[in-house]
Amino acid sequence: MIKFFRKRPEREIDKIIIHCSVSDYATRKWFFNLHVIENGWSDIGYHFLIMNSKSKPAKTLLKLNPEHDGRIVWGRDVEIAGAHCRGDNKTSIGICLVGIDLFSARQIYSLITLIEEFKFMYPNIKLFGHYEMESGIKQGKTCPNIDMNWLRKQCRITNEKT
Ligand SMILES: [Zn+2]
């Protein structure tokens, strides 16, 4: 298991919300420019970014960078509420997959690994896609363009009330 945390974050966290960048290509700087420079937010809106093979220019003829594929990059400090889902930022973690509606196996592997780590720290944590949340429904979002029932099954998360 990849270890991201020395200790459980102190902020109260009860859910993870998954997003996608709705772009083929993105770097941490790309998110920073969009959220901090353009939107004027204090930091990147998501806590984690999961890169794809297009996230960094490759030196190879393939124009894909397999080393970058599935790489988990820090966005905002997990101790601080994100800016990714209006009304649900305070108690959630926001994870953004780089891509539109096609994600690589490495990205999905990294996503599940990250979710598993939160599940270890918060056994009753719930898992949602942005499109399932009130603000996402209002905005007609399909983000992250993944079947969340499938993802919850992979992570053995039922979202049942405890
Ligand atoms: Zn979203």
Side-chain angles (χ1 to χ4, degrees):
M1 187 189 274
I2 306 164
K3 288 306 287 176
F4 289 97
F5 305 103
R6 252 171 276 138
K7 63 177 182 68
R8 180 180 145 138
E10 286 186 16
R11 182 164 67 93
E12 202 49 57
I13 292 164
D14 62 9
K15 62 179 90 62
I16 301 168
I17 303 170
I18 311 300
H19 301 263
C20 65
S21 69
V22 203
S23 67
D24 241 357
Y25 165 94
T27 57
R28 192 181 192 284
K29 198 168 172 249
W30 184 91
F31 285 99
F32 189 88
N33 283 339
L34 187 66
H35 294 173
V36 181
I37 311 288
E38 281 183 38
N39 295 0
W41 300 348
S42 60
D43 203 346
I44 289 172
Y46 310 109
H47 297 99
F48 297 96
L49 316 167
I50 303 182
M51 300 305 177
N52 65 12
S53 60
K54 296 173 193 161
S55 299
K56 203 175 190 180
K59 292 178 191 125
T60 66
L61 289 170
L62 282 169
K63 294 201 167 105
L64 296 172
N65 191 337
E67 277 169 45
H68 212 56
D69 190 13
R71 206 170 130 197
I72 300 169
V73 175
W74 286 97
R76 184 178 297 215
D77 186 345
V78 288
E79 294 289 4
I80 299 161
H84 55 91
C85 188
R86 196 174 290 251
D88 287 288
N89 286 317
K90 216 179 152 191
T91 60
S92 68
I93 286 288
I95 304 175
C96 184
L97 290 158
V98 172
I100 302 168
D101 54 5
L102 294 171
F103 307 101
S104 72
R106 286 191 196 191
Q107 281 182 294
I108 299 300
Y109 175 81
S110 294
L111 177 63
I112 293 173
T113 304
L114 192 51
I115 293 166
E116 292 281 352
E117 191 159 336
F118 276 100
K119 209 181 119 187
F120 181 75
M121 292 189 289
Y122 302 89
N124 298 321
I125 202 156
K126 293 178 171 65
L127 177 65
F128 297 98
H130 193 184
Y131 72 88
E132 296 175 304
M133 307 306 291
E134 207 185 310
S135 81
I137 294 165
K138 258 187 216 160
Q139 294 173 69
K141 294 256 182 198
T142 60
C143 164
N145 299 316
I146 289 177
D147 178 353
M148 289 305 295
N149 286 324
W150 174 83
L151 188 62
R152 278 189 285 271
K153 198 173 167 191
Q154 302 309 310
C155 300
R156 288 165 184 81
I157 293 178
T158 59
N159 281 2
E160 266 166 22
K161 287 201 176 75
T162 44

